[in-house]
Amino acid sequence: MVSIKIIVATHKKAKMPVYKSYMPVQVGAALKPNLGYVKDNTGENISDKNPSYSELTGLYWAWKNLNVDYVGLVHYRRYFALRKGNKDPLKNILNDDEINKLIQEYNVIIPQKRHYYIESLYSHYSHTHYKSQLDEVEKIIEAVYPEYLSTYKKVLNRKWGYMFNMMIMKKEYLDSYCNWLFDILFRLEENVNKEQVANANNLSKFQGRFYGRISEILFNVWLQQQLNFGYLQKKEIKEVKYIYIGKVDMGRKILSFMSAKFFHRKYNRSF
């Protein structure tokens, strides 16, 4: 039997899936009271980085500590789903049978593209966060992973991306991705500590979580480069719809998006 664990990253108590493929994981457990879930401060971990790395501390924990064939990451309020309409949204998410059917055919499962239409990934990030962070990442890639540089630039110019750090991947691909990703982020963190990234030491709590946001873009870079290398084929990758658990303040989200683009007002909260 193929083994799979999809961690549900959470920092609060929430209703969780009943399917055996899912594993609720408390992220940032080193810094918060015990919620009663599996904690990301056990085994090899970076739990104390959660205020800046967000759900990536859960991904790191899963990478280092889960011995399974497939590993996934979703969020307590955002899941993969093939349907809508059930009053209980957790009954709309991928169930065990659907997950097992997908992994028989695909090695990488990702959320549907998110389109920005009037923004590139770079301009959107620059308007809502701080472009110096992406510029520093480019320097790191150029120095350490130069074969990824042209792909990095191309991805930043796209007007769409696979976002939210959501995925289900065969473990060998997760190993490849995480080795690459965390090496870049740890180098970026070292540069931040040396004050090489503008504003990094004077950010709000919300803006301080930029490592997690940068990784959303980097996932697209890594994935595209695996296709370029021939390590993955398009037929091995499956886009799946996603749903939110709870309400999304679309009015505020659209207003904040437009304010960031036209008036350079940085985001200061989630939606």
Side-chain angles (χ1 to χ4, degrees):
M1 291 289 292
V2 175
S3 55
I4 178 169
K5 281 299 173 188
I6 302 172
I7 70 166
V8 184
T10 186
H11 64 277
K12 61 171 67 175
K13 273 286 189 180
K15 188 175 181 181
M16 291 292 171
V18 297
Y19 307 118
K20 65 180 182 179
S21 298
Y22 293 93
M23 173 187 288
V25 173
Q26 180 182 349
V27 295
L31 307 172
K32 299 288 181 66
N34 186 0
L35 297 177
Y37 303 130
V38 172
K39 297 187 292 183
D40 73 346
N41 65 336
T42 58
E44 190 170 349
N45 71 86
I46 55 169
S47 181
D48 60 348
K49 295 183 184 292
N50 182 259
S52 55
Y53 277 63
S54 298
E55 66 274 358
L56 292 183
T57 62
L59 180 64
Y60 186 94
W61 178 88
W63 170 42
K64 292 294 187 180
N65 297 287
L66 290 180
N67 183 22
V68 292
D69 299 312
Y70 281 78
V71 175
L73 169 64
V74 295
H75 306 257
Y76 74 96
R77 62 178 187 147
R78 192 180 292 116
Y79 293 86
F80 291 109
L82 295 178
R83 71 193 68 79
K84 292 183 178 179
N86 198 298
K87 290 183 179 180
D88 180 356
L90 283 179
K91 292 184 179 179
N92 293 321
I93 71 173
L94 288 182
N95 61 38
D96 291 331
D97 289 340
E98 291 166 339
I99 294 165
N100 280 297
K101 184 176 180 180
L102 283 169
I103 64 175
Q104 287 175 22
E105 189 172 352
Y106 304 102
N107 287 323
V108 177
I109 298 165
I110 50 180
Q112 279 191 320
K113 296 182 182 74
R114 186 179 188 183
H115 293 273
Y116 292 89
Y117 299 108
I118 61 173
E119 294 265 51
S120 67
L121 294 184
Y122 184 79
S123 65
H124 179 65
Y125 192 97
S126 300
H127 291 144
T128 56
H129 306 296
Y130 294 92
K131 69 183 182 67
S132 59
Q133 297 157 1
L134 291 180
D135 295 341
E136 191 63 33
V137 169
E138 181 174 326
K139 294 176 186 176
I140 293 169
I141 290 176
E142 184 174 19
V144 185
Y145 299 102
E147 67 275 21
Y148 282 80
L149 184 59
S150 63
T151 301
Y152 181 73
K153 292 179 178 180
K154 288 177 182 177
V155 167
L156 287 181
N157 283 318
R158 289 178 180 171
K159 294 183 178 180
W160 57 269
Y162 304 115
M163 310 310 286
F164 314 124
N165 285 321
M166 290 173 61
M167 79 284 286
I168 302 171
M169 289 202 285
K170 199 169 186 177
K171 186 60 160 55
E172 66 185 76
Y173 293 111
L174 185 83
D175 290 342
S176 168
Y177 172 56
C178 287
N179 271 305
W180 180 82
L181 171 69
F182 286 106
D183 183 48
I184 292 172
L185 295 183
F186 292 161
R187 290 174 187 271
L188 177 63
E189 188 174 6
E190 182 179 345
N191 292 348
V192 167
N193 291 336
K194 293 177 180 177
E195 300 183 351
Q196 292 180 12
V197 176
N199 304 300
N201 297 312
N202 298 296
L203 297 178
S204 67
K205 183 177 180 181
F206 175 81
Q207 286 290 342
R209 300 200 293 268
F210 64 88
Y211 297 96
R213 297 190 184 98
I214 286 172
S215 69
E216 293 181 82
I217 293 174
L218 287 177
F219 178 73
N220 288 267
V221 176
W222 176 85
L223 187 64
Q224 181 60 55
Q225 193 63 23
Q226 304 319 294
L227 292 169
N228 295 347
F229 285 147
Y231 298 156
L232 267 173
Q233 304 296 320
K234 285 187 178 180
K235 65 182 181 180
E236 299 177 81
I237 302 170
K238 176 66 174 177
E239 292 185 31
V240 175
K241 294 178 181 179
Y242 57 89
I243 59 170
Y244 290 90
I245 305 295
K247 295 182 178 180
V248 178
D249 190 341
M250 288 303 299
R252 185 181 180 93
K253 188 172 185 176
I254 293 170
L255 179 62
S256 296
F257 177 84
M258 301 305 289
S259 295
K261 178 172 177 60
F262 295 110
F263 300 105
H264 311 294
R265 295 172 182 166
K266 306 298 185 187
Y267 282 3
N268 59 14
R269 54 160 288 182
S270 299
F271 306 104

